[in-house]
Amino acid sequence: MKLSKQLEKLGTETAFAVSAAAGEWAAKGNKVYPFHLGDINIPTPGNIVEAMQKAIGDGHTGYCPGGGIPELRAAMAHDVGSKRQLSYEAENVSIQPGGKPVIGKFLSAVMNPGDEVLYPNPGYPIYESQIEFQRGIAIPYGYIETEAGFDLDMDALSSAINEKTRVLIYNNFQNPNGAQSSRQEMEQLAELALKHDLWVLSDEAYFEIQYSGKPDSIANIPGMQERTVILYTCSKRFAMTGWRLGAAIGPRPVIDIINKLNTNIESCTTHFIQRAMVEALEDTEGPDIILKTLRERRDAAVAALNAIDGVSVAAPNSTFYLFPNVNNIMERKGLTDVDQLMHQALVEANVSFCTRKHFGRPTANEKNDYIRFAYSGIEVEDIQEGMASLKRYFES
Ligand SMILES: Cc1ncc(COP(=O)(O)O)c(C=O)c1O
């Protein structure tokens, strides 16, 4: 029996293969230090768990509207809008089972076959997968490494735009490199979107994972709200990765289409989880504890990485990822493929991490090798132990 040819275009999150390798190594009796997956081992705040149990007890176990329950849509419109100094109505919000579904549904709503879509690479791998699966042309843009982290390669990005470019995918607070745009960088991006009449997907999955200062959104730049869909998720902010709750927030015509897609695909997002979230959205205590824990882990991971001879990394102000350049280590080890480094680190140091190759197809002319550490699923003591083990391996 033949399967759809279009499936050849569907990518995946290859980080899950790293989990499998780490799991196999652990099953052989080894203690693995897991820095590979951006999952969170901090419990979901108790008030959300209680509200969810109450919602089930109250009988909210049936179907609900495809776009989400009106109370949650209104609460999210207020929450997302007020944090971005923007005004949204409930009708601007489509509730989703997580942030991830927003990517494919947004593209289905705005992209036609053959349209070019700019997307960050290295970046969240589902962008490339969904663009190509839905018959768009994926046009990567990259970042330039600086002392303080990473800046968008604005020259490359602007010169990639042509009359076929329809969409820009932008991930401020970036996975995997932790990049955070200055207001000026965001304005340059907005200027390009306005000049070339582009739709923008602003992936703001890490908007609330900020260690200092207030986050900013491209939707808040004049002229941008009406062409931007925000990807929102409860996964990171409330340590709810497995609950699956997120939203698309944007202009009414796109949100109406996304609601229709919801009805076609999953009917609705889990009803009692939506009920639980209505009150939890206002909670700051739970997210504050999560953030404090993540900050301690970030500081421990940054200090330990910088103690390795040949590695230097700046502390990102947002996300829970570190993306160090490992050119020196590759040279010391005589390696040419960063995946070899990943395999050896697991066996020699019991440390698992992803590499740049897990975040979109590497583009021609890339000269640097990077690996990615997620510190959201590993406690400070294990961060220190794991990094000490990695130091011994990297320095030998
Ligand atoms: C940049 C980015 N966007 C979107 C998502 C999707 O998150 P979720 O589907 O868990 O809400 C993730 C998850 O890791 C991410 O890193």
Side-chain angles (χ1 to χ4, degrees):
M1 295 288 282
K2 285 187 180 156
L3 297 175
S4 157
K5 268 204 85 55
Q6 195 55 22
L7 284 174
E8 288 165 16
K9 299 281 184 194
L10 188 67
T12 186
E13 253 189 273
T14 48
F16 287 106
V18 184
S19 289
E24 270 172 42
W25 189 241
K28 288 186 179 147
N30 301 295
K31 172 164 184 176
V32 173
Y33 298 95
F35 290 96
H36 52 275
L37 204 59
D39 205 350
I40 308 178
N41 69 343
I42 307 166
T44 302
N47 64 323
I48 305 181
V49 177
E50 279 160 29
M52 190 272 291
Q53 284 162 341
K54 181 172 181 307
I56 295 184
D58 289 348
H60 296 295
T61 50
Y63 293 123
C64 65
I69 59 171
E71 297 90 328
L72 184 60
R73 293 178 78 188
M76 257 190 206
H78 173 73
D79 181 74
V80 170
S82 60
K83 294 211 169 69
R84 291 158 181 78
Q85 294 83 47
L86 288 170
S87 171
Y88 287 110
E89 305 294 326
E91 290 72 23
N92 297 113
V93 177
S94 176
I95 303 297
Q96 301 294 320
K100 188 185 264 180
V102 177
I103 300 167
K105 289 176 186 172
F106 164 80
L107 289 170
S108 300
V110 304
M111 185 188 78
N112 284 302
D115 284 349
E116 295 194 359
V117 180
L118 291 160
Y119 74 104
N121 184 350
Y124 193 52
I126 300 306
Y127 309 139
E128 191 176 81
S129 169
Q130 281 294 327
I131 298 165
E132 296 188 342
F133 183 56
Q134 298 196 43
R135 299 182 161 84
I137 314 287
I139 308 289
Y141 64 84
Y143 292 79
I144 296 167
E145 194 178 345
T146 68
E147 288 274 296
F150 292 87
D151 288 342
L152 275 177
D153 187 349
M154 200 60 81
D155 290 341
L157 193 154
S158 57
S159 57
I161 299 178
N162 62 53
E163 68 285 353
K164 286 199 203 144
T165 314
R166 293 268 296 142
V167 183
L168 167 69
I169 297 181
Y170 170 50
N171 177 209
N172 199 15
F173 327 120
Q174 217 259 6
N175 180 8
N177 65 24
Q180 178 165 0
S181 291
S182 62
R183 180 77 181 180
Q184 190 201 14
E185 187 177 84
M186 220 184 262
E187 280 169 355
Q188 285 176 324
L189 212 50
E191 201 180 307
L192 289 174
L194 290 162
K195 181 168 165 209
H196 298 282
D197 196 20
L198 307 180
W199 281 108
V200 175
L201 175 68
S202 183
D203 182 339
E204 302 184 3
Y206 299 91
F207 189 87
E208 275 89 5
I209 309 296
Q210 300 290 322
Y211 301 109
S212 67
K214 282 207 182 337
D216 205 354
S217 170
I218 194 166
N220 155 290
I221 294 173
M224 290 304 292
Q225 188 176 6
E226 45 275 47
R227 61 178 64 248
T228 303
V229 170
I230 293 172
L231 179 156
Y232 173 90
T233 177
C234 297
S235 291
K236 322 286 173 178
R237 176 183 180 190
F238 298 101
M240 286 174 66
T241 51
W243 291 58
R244 311 312 299 142
L245 188 63
I249 296 119
R252 187 77 194 267
V254 183
I255 296 303
D256 288 348
I257 295 168
I258 292 180
N259 288 342
K260 199 167 170 186
L261 288 165
N262 295 351
T263 307
N264 275 266
I265 298 167
E266 71 270 348
S267 293
C268 61
T269 295
T270 311
H271 189 168
F272 47 83
I273 293 179
Q274 295 194 46
R275 288 273 159 212
M277 211 54 214
V278 174
E279 59 181 85
L281 218 45
E282 295 294 319
D283 175 44
T284 54
E285 199 185 324
D288 283 352
I289 294 169
I290 294 166
L291 207 53
K292 181 172 171 288
T293 308
L294 291 174
R295 184 189 287 113
E296 284 163 9
R297 293 178 183 185
R298 178 197 65 170
D299 294 344
V302 168
L305 265 179
N306 283 327
I308 299 176
D309 182 31
V311 180
S312 162
V313 72
N317 186 44
S318 61
T319 77
F320 36 65
Y321 305 114
L322 302 173
F323 199 57
N325 180 320
V326 287
N327 289 358
N328 294 332
I329 311 297
M330 296 287 290
E331 199 177 317
R332 186 181 295 148
K333 296 277 175 199
L335 299 176
T336 49
D337 181 345
V338 73
D339 278 356
Q340 293 171 312
L341 189 71
M342 175 188 76
H343 293 306
Q344 287 188 8
L346 181 62
V347 175
E348 303 287 332
N350 292 328
V351 172
S352 70
F353 50 75
C354 290
T355 73
R356 183 268 173 268
K357 290 191 188 177
H358 295 98
F359 299 95
R361 276 191 304 272
T363 50
N365 312 322
E366 281 187 27
K367 292 189 188 68
N368 297 318
D369 282 312
Y370 297 93
I371 58 179
R372 189 202 73 169
F373 293 90
Y375 52 80
S376 49
I378 173 163
E379 276 156 49
V380 167
E381 202 174 83
D382 280 340
I383 290 175
Q384 285 163 341
E385 257 180 51
M387 288 296 187
S389 171
L390 193 67
K391 177 176 163 71
R392 286 191 291 278
Y393 162 63
F394 273 6
E395 291 182 353
S396 64

